[in-house]
Amino acid sequence: MSLNFIAALLYLFLYAPLAVVIVYSFNAARFGAGWSGFTTKWYGALWENSLALSATKNTLLLAVSSTAIATVLGTMLGYGMNRFRFPGKALFGWFLYVPVFIPDIVMAVAMLLFYSLLRKWCSLFELGLTTMILAHVTFQIPFVAIVVRSRLVGLDPALEEAAGDLGANEWQTFRHVTLPLILPGIVAGGMLAFTLSLDDFVVSFFTSGPGATTLPILIYSSVKRGITPDINALSTLIVLASIAGTVVVTLLQRTKKV
Amino acid sequence: MQEKLVVPPGSETEKQSRNEPEVYAIQAENLVRRFGDVEALSHVSVSIRKGEFFSLLGPSGCGKTTLLRIIAGLDHCDEGILKIAGRDATQIPAHKRPVNTVFQSYALFPHLSVRDNVAFGLRMKKVAIEEITKRVERIMALVEITAFAERRPGQLSGGQKQRVALARALVNEPEVLLLDEPLGALDLKLRKQLQVELSQLQRRLGITFIFVTHDQEEALVMSDRIAVMNAGKIEQLDGVEDLYERPRTRFVAQFLGSCNLVEGVVREVTGAVASVQTTMGDLRVEIGDATRKVCVGEKITLAIRPEKMHFNSKVAENQVKAVVRDSIYSGAETQYRLEAGERMLNACALNSRVGSQGLNVGETVLVHLPADALIILND
Amino acid sequence: MNTILSKSPGSEIKEHISYRGQLKRSAITTGPGLVWLVLLLLIPLAALGVISFLSRGDYGEIQLPFTLENYKRLLGFGLLGFDSLYPAILLRSLALGAGTALICVVTGLPLAFFISRLPARFKTPALTLVIIPFWTNLLIRTYAWQILLAPESWLTRFVHAIAIGNVGDPLYPGTFAVAIGMVCDYLPFLVLPLYASVEKLDWSLAEAAMDLGANRMRVFRHALLPQIMPGLIAGTIFVFLPATGQFVIPDLLGGAKTVMLGNAIQQQFGQSRDWPFGSAIAFVALALVMVGLWLYARKSQGKGGPDLL
């Protein structure tokens, strides 16, 4: 077998699931795998589906707010870890990788457990959008911090020294030199955090309450009941959004390099 | 200049600066800087006069850049006091010091245009916009970078970046301009050209320049005074000519130009003349440095520059018999390796006559080591 | 001096700031994120650890006494004698994680080489095609395999036609479906770091080996493999660790017979309502991942990638 043939098979393997979801979203049959004609009615049905609409709203609300918090905290963390010393820093540097590698489910049940313990004292931790945001920020922070820190490592320290030498105080140096130069890293970290939040199912599932259903949770519960064509339509839209997002980011990165 | 150092009225420093005429731009007293167990600076004291072109010369790792960074406020010292323009600046952060730096890598801000790079310092100090425009234009014209004012640093050549870095520092009208091997990354021709331009600029502006370099020739060409540094200490601080003609230590003698070293023992001292016994015979030596005490029986090292030796001259004293082992002709002069008294000497002679004039390899010559050209080193 | 200083590791640390100044600035910059992670991650994980040593009450509540019972049960020594259920789950998770990593290596290598040997202008699109599934929701890609592997699907019929498995036996749910879903999900995790190493390959070594008469397998083994080892190991870790702790894929494709650690945890926190036991399983899953990560970090720091072989 030639390399090209193997590669073609692997691409087919990677895209078969995406293709089947897209194809079946246009299948007229309500149940089963048989093909009974082309239709776009499921997309119309989706528009009528208030559950799907509110899940979309929740998902975006969750992703935007958690990303905003995580990007600010993660950037500060990445900057501080790169620039300053404090006792126990090496240990904390290790701990920062825990959310990156921890199995989703472990983090999810730890949160669930923690919230249920807290609820004995404080009603704020009633499962819902707030608890989901708190959980999402927790796994997003390290990703932002790590991306920002790697951008800082590549930065010539003389640039900040030059700013100080020219009369900029610490804040001015950060605002006018460091921030513009690490902005691509912050944007990249923020986009990573945003995508992680959009994609997350497990942590959301365990920390969500009634009325705080997100798209992944909606898809999961639908799949558990049996896949329906309108879920395929919803998934198709998500897949297309992911493709568009990835392509746009790739193009942006390319134009930046030239 | 822009930032006036804040001195409480009636304080010690203020009285001092009022009474004494401010002749020194920089006064460092007993500076110590340690990196772990290594002393990058060990008890360095130096005073740099206002308006002079001062060089810190030494091999890499000698502490010259550390000293420069401490003056700039980019690094702190573990002990000692640093005064800028007569005022204690030891605890003053970099952004409040009236000094500016031209960095080795230039450190131009890649996200700003040349014009914005130059204006950066004034903007940070919130100088009025019209004033900024005026000063930026003037300095850009002075260093001839107006033509590419709108470009980004990434689009500039090494020499152009160098000029931008210079303009960006000078526009702030600092008391002292610090230059950290600013010509290191340029090719030889451009270096030579910029050496001349920099010296001229310094004279025109009258600003104190402190120039860090490991290139002795560069330091000699440009400076008024040079401090030669080695292993965290200043070996010798002198005017350019004194430094070359009267090196005080082995290190200085050999780092600045080339030098022959001859060990010997002092036989007798009469007035300002010592008689020194060496493997090449007894040599008469004039004690040039009055501060250097020489005792009979002391083991000393003599230094003599290759070009100070003369061949077959009709002088009675300090003649040494030597055999020519090697000769290298290099146009204006010829360098010789001579063997005398079981040791090798480097000599060179200017090819001032017309036609062939050199010594032949294998030839025996009388070499004259003038008594006033022999220098007694301190170590 | 200058070059040495500016290149030494950690030179971004602002050394000229005093220790107290460093602490103050750390508190301002690192502080909020650190406090957040301690409050919402470290303490919950610690709580998980503590509860894993507690007992379950009759109504699913958490209660004293402290006990090692949960861990014993996980190892098979329950109250009712030896029970292989949980040891089997543990082993199955490890085996499926390792198997997934192995299949991803075998399939990822040709894909990485294929992309790196494309003409320059096709490389980014080819790589983007690998990244797109990576950024597409895992749930969607997983449930799609339910459709693809359904009993009457063309894929199932094709697989049966080329005589794999018995006709009539569904491909899903089961271990096979889980493996397919895992490989499909984690292949990009391996290809991306591997591609980075392959792209940096020094082919002159391979040419030299060819000149010396080595056959293709030996060239790969001795001239190319050592060079791409760091990327390969990193990629393997990125597949093995998360695959072992997977929950969604075995949940959707595994069925009752292919329960993995993730499903066992969910079951204890869900239907069984035995939180202490669930915590114990979760804690073991966490420990597995962290030990794996620690071993990898220690080896790769000390010696550099190729020595790991």
Side-chain angles (χ1 to χ4, degrees):
Chain A
M1 275 196 288
S2 77
L3 201 58
N4 294 359
F5 181 66
I6 298 176
L9 272 185
L10 286 170
Y11 277 117
L12 188 68
F13 173 64
L14 284 175
Y15 280 88
L18 303 186
V20 78
V21 168
I22 296 173
V23 169
Y24 273 71
S25 73
F26 296 108
N27 188 359
R30 176 165 279 278
F31 301 107
W35 180 263
S36 54
F38 181 89
T39 179
T40 54
K41 67 178 173 185
W42 306 120
Y43 288 89
L46 202 59
W47 192 244
E48 304 291 312
N49 185 338
S50 62
L51 222 58
L53 287 179
S54 83
T56 310
K57 210 183 79 193
N58 282 337
T59 307
L60 289 176
L61 193 63
L62 171 63
V64 168
S65 43
S66 63
T67 302
I69 301 171
T71 305
V72 172
L73 292 181
T75 300
M76 285 161 62
L77 189 62
Y79 180 77
M81 292 287 285
N82 185 262
R83 294 301 154 93
F84 308 119
R85 290 180 198 288
F86 58 92
K89 184 172 152 181
L91 199 67
F92 182 61
W94 258 98
F95 180 61
L96 210 52
Y97 281 91
V98 169
V100 178
F101 286 96
I102 191 174
D104 297 352
I105 183 94
V106 175
M107 180 154 168
V109 296
M111 290 282 182
L112 174 70
L113 195 107
F114 181 59
Y115 288 148
S116 80
L117 291 178
L118 281 182
R119 268 201 302 277
K120 291 179 180 165
W121 293 290
C122 175
S123 63
L124 187 72
F125 295 94
E126 218 48 73
L127 294 182
L129 205 55
T130 316
T131 51
M132 287 163 96
I133 291 172
L134 292 178
H136 277 219
V137 172
T138 307
F139 67 70
Q140 287 170 321
I141 286 177
F143 284 95
V144 178
I146 289 165
V147 173
V148 168
R149 192 166 58 166
S150 73
R151 178 87 194 176
L152 277 163
V153 167
L155 200 68
D156 182 2
L159 290 172
E160 289 178 356
E161 291 182 351
D165 184 77
L166 291 167
N169 61 31
E170 268 185 273
W171 167 246
Q172 286 175 315
T173 301
F174 182 78
R175 165 74 187 77
H176 294 287
V177 175
T178 317
L179 194 62
L181 291 175
I182 62 169
L183 197 61
I186 297 175
V187 171
M191 285 200 303
L192 181 62
F194 189 73
T195 318
L196 288 171
S197 172
L198 285 183
D199 276 355
D200 174 72
F201 158 67
V202 179
V203 173
S204 305
F205 183 61
F206 281 85
T207 54
S208 72
T213 301
T214 62
L215 285 173
I217 297 175
L218 179 72
I219 293 173
Y220 179 80
S221 47
S222 309
V223 168
K224 279 284 168 176
R225 285 198 304 266
I227 304 159
T228 50
D230 55 335
I231 288 306
N232 284 330
L234 179 62
S235 300
T236 300
L237 294 179
I238 296 173
V239 168
L240 293 180
S242 307
I243 294 175
T246 315
V247 170
V248 166
V249 169
T250 311
L251 288 179
L252 278 180
Q253 278 172 342
R254 213 160 50 170
T255 48
K256 197 146 263 176
K257 267 180 214 155
V258 171
Chain B
M1 283 291 260
Q2 282 301 308
E3 286 280 336
K4 288 289 174 223
L5 299 179
V6 185
V7 178
S11 75
E12 198 64 24
T13 17
E14 203 218 27
K15 274 181 217 155
Q16 267 178 15
S17 59
R18 221 187 272 151
N19 297 341
E20 283 177 23
E22 278 179 38
V23 284
Y24 292 117
I26 299 289
Q27 288 158 284
E29 290 159 26
N30 264 317
L31 293 185
V32 177
R33 176 72 174 106
R34 297 183 194 92
F35 294 109
D37 297 335
V38 185
E39 278 196 345
L41 287 183
S42 42
H43 303 282
V44 168
S45 296
V46 60
S47 296
I48 298 167
R49 294 182 196 126
K50 280 205 156 174
E52 77 174 327
F53 198 122
F54 190 92
S55 286
L56 292 168
L57 175 66
S60 55
C62 72
K64 57 188 194 297
T65 297
T66 306
L67 179 55
L68 195 80
R69 289 171 61 81
I70 288 173
I71 296 173
L74 301 174
D75 201 346
H76 69 271
C77 52
D78 297 308
E79 289 172 32
I81 294 172
L82 176 79
K83 289 181 188 170
I84 300 175
R87 288 164 184 146
D88 187 348
T90 320
Q91 298 301 329
I92 293 177
H95 67 274
K96 289 186 182 161
R97 295 189 186 196
V99 300
N100 287 110
T101 308
V102 174
F103 289 82
Q104 186 173 25
S105 60
Y106 314 130
L108 300 178
F109 304 125
H111 60 295
L112 299 178
S113 68
V114 167
R115 188 188 302 278
D116 290 338
N117 261 283
V118 176
F120 188 88
L122 299 178
R123 285 196 185 136
M124 290 304 114
K125 287 168 220 151
K126 309 232 156 61
V127 175
I129 291 172
E130 312 85 68
E131 168 90 2
I132 293 180
T133 318
K134 209 175 70 193
R135 277 164 72 176
V136 167
E137 289 306 325
R138 199 198 309 142
I139 202 78
M140 288 204 303
L142 185 70
V143 299
E144 295 164 17
I145 54 171
T146 316
F148 40 88
E150 307 311 326
R151 280 192 219 164
R152 294 282 174 95
Q155 302 163 293
L156 303 179
S157 71
Q160 290 170 333
K161 281 185 195 168
Q162 171 59 59
R163 286 164 192 274
V164 177
L166 204 58
R168 187 179 68 171
L170 284 174
V171 78
N172 304 292
E173 295 167 10
E175 295 272 344
V176 181
L177 184 73
L178 308 172
L179 302 105
D180 185 5
E181 307 224 13
L183 307 178
L186 305 175
D187 63 59
L188 190 66
K189 207 178 149 199
L190 197 56
R191 270 181 96 119
K192 298 268 181 207
Q193 187 197 331
L194 280 168
Q195 281 172 14
V196 176
E197 282 187 31
L198 264 181
S199 331
Q200 286 173 347
L201 191 68
Q202 191 266 338
R203 257 164 241 142
R204 243 171 95 184
L205 298 172
I207 292 176
T208 315
F209 275 33
I210 303 179
F211 189 90
V212 160
T213 181
H214 64 270
D215 182 334
Q216 41 115 353
E217 195 193 321
E218 194 167 275
L220 288 176
V221 170
M222 302 172 76
S223 320
D224 297 319
R225 290 198 304 157
I226 299 174
V228 179
M229 293 188 69
N230 183 35
K233 288 196 169 81
I234 293 182
E235 290 264 338
Q236 186 170 354
L237 194 168
D238 254 321
V240 175
E241 215 176 299
D242 285 338
L243 201 65
Y244 185 80
E245 299 293 334
R246 311 240 37 111
R248 265 188 241 125
T249 64
R250 267 164 195 267
F251 179 83
V252 176
Q254 292 191 310
F255 191 78
L256 219 69
S258 67
C259 224
N260 294 294
L261 299 182
V262 182
E263 277 85 30
V265 179
V266 180
R267 299 245 298 188
E268 61 173 294
V269 183
T270 25
V273 177
S275 177
V276 180
Q277 183 187 24
T278 72
T279 54
M280 297 182 292
D282 284 9
L283 295 173
R284 231 170 60 85
V285 180
E286 283 185 14
I287 308 169
D289 185 356
T291 59
R292 176 77 164 98
K293 294 269 179 289
V294 181
C295 324
V296 174
E298 186 185 352
K299 274 186 164 179
I300 58 168
T301 305
L302 299 171
I304 184 163
R305 299 269 180 209
E307 71 276 11
K308 300 281 199 273
M309 300 190 224
H310 307 299
F311 300 123
N312 300 330
S313 60
K314 298 178 183 65
V315 187
E317 58 165 24
N318 286 8
Q319 291 283 14
V320 171
K321 196 177 272 182
V323 182
V324 180
R325 288 298 178 205
D326 200 1
S327 83
I328 300 160
Y329 175 80
S330 60
E333 54 170 46
T334 305
Q335 288 164 37
Y336 298 101
R337 297 273 294 157
L338 308 171
E339 191 181 329
E342 291 161 9
R343 54 170 305 130
M344 302 303 292
L345 292 176
N346 290 318
C348 78
L350 205 60
N351 298 329
S352 53
R353 278 176 294 162
V354 180
S356 167
Q357 55 209 307
L359 305 167
N360 300 316
V361 173
E363 194 179 330
T364 304
V365 288
L366 277 177
V367 186
H368 175 220
L369 313 178
D372 56 353
L374 284 163
I375 308 150
I376 302 172
L377 299 178
N378 286 348
D379 56 348
Chain C
M1 190 82 197
N2 197 61
T3 45
I4 296 170
L5 271 182
S6 60
K7 275 177 190 162
S8 67
S11 67
E12 296 89 12
I13 298 272
K14 298 193 168 181
E15 293 290 357
H16 62 281
I17 297 173
S18 69
Y19 188 66
R20 278 188 58 183
Q22 303 253 3
L23 280 185
K24 200 177 109 192
R25 288 164 179 82
S26 291
I28 296 169
T29 55
T30 317
L34 190 148
V35 168
W36 185 293
L37 288 177
V38 167
L39 282 183
L40 280 136
L41 189 64
L42 191 61
I43 292 179
L45 288 177
L48 195 76
V50 171
I51 288 183
S52 72
F53 291 101
L54 290 173
S55 319
R56 172 186 186 264
D58 291 338
Y59 305 101
E61 72 273 23
I62 301 159
Q63 65 182 32
L64 290 167
F66 280 101
T67 171
L68 284 174
E69 213 48 59
N70 296 317
Y71 288 96
K72 280 195 197 156
R73 190 171 155 202
L74 191 54
L75 291 172
F77 305 101
L79 294 168
L80 307 165
F82 187 79
D83 179 359
S84 66
L85 178 63
Y86 289 103
I89 289 175
L90 194 64
L91 286 179
R92 186 182 298 125
S93 298
L94 289 172
L96 267 165
T100 304
L102 186 70
I103 300 172
C104 283
V105 166
V106 172
T107 52
L109 271 171
L111 195 54
F113 275 91
F114 167 78
I115 298 172
S116 83
R117 304 191 73 164
L118 283 175
R121 65 204 160 97
F122 292 131
K123 277 185 188 177
T124 313
L127 208 58
T128 311
L129 281 178
V130 177
I131 296 172
I132 285 172
F134 182 77
W135 286 128
T136 307
N137 196 291
L138 169 69
L139 266 174
I140 297 174
R141 280 180 298 148
T142 307
Y143 92 70
W145 282 106
Q146 288 191 349
I147 304 175
L148 281 166
L149 298 175
E152 68 277 26
S153 80
W154 56 269
L155 184 65
T156 311
R157 277 181 242 151
F158 173 76
V159 168
H160 285 155
I162 58 170
I164 303 174
N166 299 321
V167 179
D169 275 6
L171 296 173
Y172 138 84
T175 312
F176 176 77
V178 172
I180 289 274
M182 294 263 231
V183 173
C184 185
D185 183 32
Y186 288 111
L187 189 55
F189 280 75
L190 188 106
V191 173
L192 295 179
L194 188 57
Y195 169 76
S197 306
V198 170
E199 191 62 6
K200 283 184 283 184
L201 265 182
D202 180 3
W203 287 93
S204 62
L205 275 173
E207 280 160 21
M210 290 280 226
D211 267 1
L212 296 170
N215 65 31
R216 295 181 74 177
M217 207 50 226
R218 288 175 67 93
V219 168
F220 178 75
R221 169 85 179 74
H222 295 286
L224 299 181
L225 193 59
Q227 296 187 60
I228 58 172
M229 215 52 207
L232 197 59
I233 291 172
T236 310
I237 294 286
F238 290 155
V239 173
F240 174 69
L241 292 183
T244 306
Q246 247 302 327
F247 160 66
V248 172
I249 297 173
D251 188 56
L252 291 187
L253 298 175
K257 281 185 194 160
T258 319
V259 175
M260 288 174 66
L261 282 173
N263 314 101
I265 296 169
Q266 190 236 356
Q267 184 154 41
Q268 297 307 320
F269 276 88
Q271 292 117 322
S272 306
R273 251 197 111 64
D274 188 347
W275 288 23
F277 184 49
S279 300
I281 309 175
F283 214 65
V284 166
L286 179 65
L288 277 178
V289 170
M290 289 301 134
V291 167
L293 200 63
W294 179 69
L295 282 177
Y296 166 67
R298 212 183 53 158
K299 286 240 179 182
S300 62
Q301 263 172 14
K303 297 183 190 166
D307 293 333
L308 271 174
L309 206 76

